């Protein structure tokens, strides 16, 4: 393990009321000496290789890690009961789509799905591997109210995470996802930001110790009527805290992936931002906060319409970036699939074609070559749900 020492000046106290007039790193001494250790664990080379594989040109992540309850809501939208059989059938439809690996490099699974198989007995993990898609796993245990905050939440799941991660690795998972959220209308409070950043950092360190590339995801919710400038302010603060604690926990930046929200106005703001504006604000934030050592930025869609998420991603790839800028979409890849499938066996092939249409569109957007020509009206419908939970 190598280490380096740096002289760090104290942070200036913020005058912004949303962080409570306090710095998270106040120190009474004029300077302090900090040692940052660079981890050189047994999985280092594998972590870097996995991250680079996922962050490969023209490919992104298919997120199908919804909890059983949330998957049940999706199934209910097409008139299906929330049974394990129906969840298995839907995920088999997605994961056995021919040619999916041309556009998808990784897929995030829920724990149930990681251990499931097709009707013919082939594990979903093997289906993904055969398609050159890296299997991933959702490891957090969901959100819970954060005492002492402005009605905000914190993410659970650190207890037992090391042993669970080791088991997920044995089952074939090679990357992990932990989603926490930050609410702009609720402040956010200094407590909530610090809790989100620290939890993500501990999760990331534990994941790397067990061979899993951690996806770091502090989702800044779309809820609110705030302007895009406010979102930028909050995003910069959140990501500065996240990387501060990632460094404190000796997380290897070359072996992580990020899953940020795009910087957009609140969903209820009177003015909608163009893809060019979203790209400008989002890339500004990333360039100010994210080291170039990070291999990939895999954006979440967060309730944007399918077409909107693709257009915004495309706008961000009109010039070279320090990192692979791509997608990790759930609803923005699945919505058309569900509408086409309707739970009918004779609609499986058409549903898989619908998935490939969305996957290819986002593949082109990752390359900066997407045009919205030919997009149907359904793809332009927003999917924002106030207070949405997974």
């Amino acid at each position: 393990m190598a280490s380096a020492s740096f002289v760090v000046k104290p942070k200036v106290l913020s005058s912004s009321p949303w962080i409570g007039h306090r710095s998270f790193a106040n120190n009474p001494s004029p300077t302090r000496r900090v040692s940052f250790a660079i981890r050189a664990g047994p999985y280092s080379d594998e972590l870097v290789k996995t991250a680079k594989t996922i962050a490969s040109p023209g490919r992104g992540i298919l997120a199908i890690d919804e909890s059983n309850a949330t998957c049940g809501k999706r199934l209910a939208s097409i008139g299906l009961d929330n049974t394990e059989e129906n969840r298995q059938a839907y995920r088999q439809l997605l994961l056995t789509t021919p040619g999916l690996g041309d556009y998808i490099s990784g897929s995030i699974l829920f724990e149930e799905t990681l251990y499931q198989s097709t009707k013919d007995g082939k594990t979903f993990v093997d289906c993904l591997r055969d398609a050159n898609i890296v299997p991933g796993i959702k490891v957090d245990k969901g959100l819970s109210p954060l005492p002492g905050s402005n009605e905000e939440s914190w993410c659970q799941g650190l207890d037992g995470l090391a042993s669970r991660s080791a088991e997920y690795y044995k089952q074939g998972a090679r990357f992990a996802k932990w989603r926490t959220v930050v609410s702009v209308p609720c402040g956010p409070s200094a407590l909530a930001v610090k809790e989100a950043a620290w939890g993500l950092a501990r999760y990331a360190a534990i994941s790397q110790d067990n061979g899993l590339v951690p996806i770091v995801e502090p989702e800044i919710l779309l809820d609110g009527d705030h302007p895009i400038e406010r979102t930028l302010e909050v995003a910069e603060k959140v990501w500065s805290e996240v990387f501060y604690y990632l460094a404190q926990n000796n997380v290897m930046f070359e072996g992580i992936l990020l899953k940020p929200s795009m910087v957009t106005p609140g969903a209820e703001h009177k003015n909608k931002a163009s893809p060019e504006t979203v790209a400008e604000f989002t890339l500004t934030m990333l360039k100010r906060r994210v080291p170039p050592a990070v291999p990939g930025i895999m954006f979440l869609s967060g309730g944007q319409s399918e077409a909107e998420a693709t257009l915004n991603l495309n706008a961000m790839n009109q010039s070279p970036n320090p990192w692979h800028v791509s997608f990790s979409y759930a609803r923005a890849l699945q919505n058309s699939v569900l509408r086409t499938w309707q739970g009918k066996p004779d609609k499986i092939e058409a549903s898989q074609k619908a998935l490939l249409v969305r996957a290819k569109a986002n593949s082109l957007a990752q390359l900066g070559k997407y045009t919205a020509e030919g997009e149907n009206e359904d793809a332009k419908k927003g999917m924002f749900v106030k207070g949405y939970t997974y």
Side-chain angles (χ1 to χ4, degrees), residues 209-269:
D209 270 353
N210 289 279
L212 302 178
V213 169
I215 289 183
V216 178
E217 181 184 359
E219 179 176 354
I220 298 171
L221 298 171
L222 280 176
D223 303 61
D225 60 1
H226 50 278
I228 194 170
E229 291 82 4
R230 177 72 174 130
T231 309
L232 175 63
E233 179 188 11
V234 173
E236 287 184 347
K237 184 59 191 176
V238 170
W239 281 106
S240 69
E241 289 296 304
V242 168
F243 275 99
Y244 176 79
Y245 287 115
L246 287 173
Q248 278 205 338
N249 282 272
N250 304 321
V251 172
M252 183 177 67
F253 292 170
E254 294 86 351
I256 68 174
L257 296 167
L258 307 187
K259 186 169 179 175
S261 312
M262 297 180 189
V263 179
T264 68
E268 297 160 292
H269 190 259

Side-chain angles (χ1 to χ4, degrees), residues 119-347:
K119 291 291 187 182
D120 295 332
K122 185 175 183 178
T123 68
F124 285 155
V125 168
D126 284 340
C127 291
L128 290 170
R129 285 173 169 166
D130 288 350
N132 193 29
I133 299 172
V134 181
I137 178 70
K138 169 186 164 72
V139 299
D140 68 78
K141 293 296 185 178
L143 302 171
S144 185
L146 177 63
S149 70
N150 299 331
E151 299 184 355
E152 295 160 288
S153 61
W154 68 290
C155 190
Q156 304 173 93
L158 290 177
D159 290 349
L161 179 58
S163 58
R164 287 191 291 120
S165 297
E167 289 302 314
Y168 296 150
Y169 184 91
K170 289 180 183 177
Q171 183 63 18
R174 288 299 178 267
F175 71 101
K177 173 201 162 180
W178 174 287
R179 173 187 178 261
T180 192
V181 301
V182 173
S183 170
V184 178
C186 289
S189 67
L191 174 63
V193 174
K194 184 174 182 177
E195 173 61 40
W198 179 256
L200 284 165
R202 290 304 306 139
Y203 138 78
I206 293 168
S207 295
Q208 288 190 339
D209 270 353
N210 289 279
L212 302 178
V213 169
I215 289 183
V216 178
E217 181 184 359
E219 179 176 354
I220 298 171
L221 298 171
L222 280 176
D223 303 61
D225 60 1
H226 50 278
I228 194 170
E229 291 82 4
R230 177 72 174 130
T231 309
L232 175 63
E233 179 188 11
V234 173
E236 287 184 347
K237 184 59 191 176
V238 170
W239 281 106
S240 69
E241 289 296 304
V242 168
F243 275 99
Y244 176 79
Y245 287 115
L246 287 173
Q248 278 205 338
N249 282 272
N250 304 321
V251 172
M252 183 177 67
F253 292 170
E254 294 86 351
I256 68 174
L257 296 167
L258 307 187
K259 186 169 179 175
S261 312
M262 297 180 189
V263 179
T264 68
E268 297 160 292
H269 190 259
K270 59 183 179 181
N271 296 322
K272 194 174 183 70
S274 68
E276 292 73 24
T277 300
V278 171
E280 179 185 359
F281 275 78
T282 304
L283 291 175
T284 294
M285 183 275 292
L286 293 174
K287 289 172 181 176
R288 289 173 176 173
R289 293 294 181 264
V290 180
V294 174
I297 312 289
M298 321 298 287
F299 282 105
L300 59 90
S301 55
Q304 300 176 77
S305 72
E306 292 176 327
E308 185 181 11
T310 307
L311 283 166
N312 288 340
L313 177 62
N314 186 71
M316 280 184 257
N317 282 299
Q318 293 308 300
S319 58
N321 292 302
W323 339 263
H324 175 82
V325 175
S326 192
F327 60 93
S328 178
Y329 292 165
R331 285 175 284 174
L333 285 172
Q334 296 183 47
N335 205 40
S336 294
V337 180
L338 276 168
R339 284 199 310 268
T340 305
W341 180 43
Q342 297 293 317
K344 299 175 181 177
D346 62 339
K347 296 290 186 180

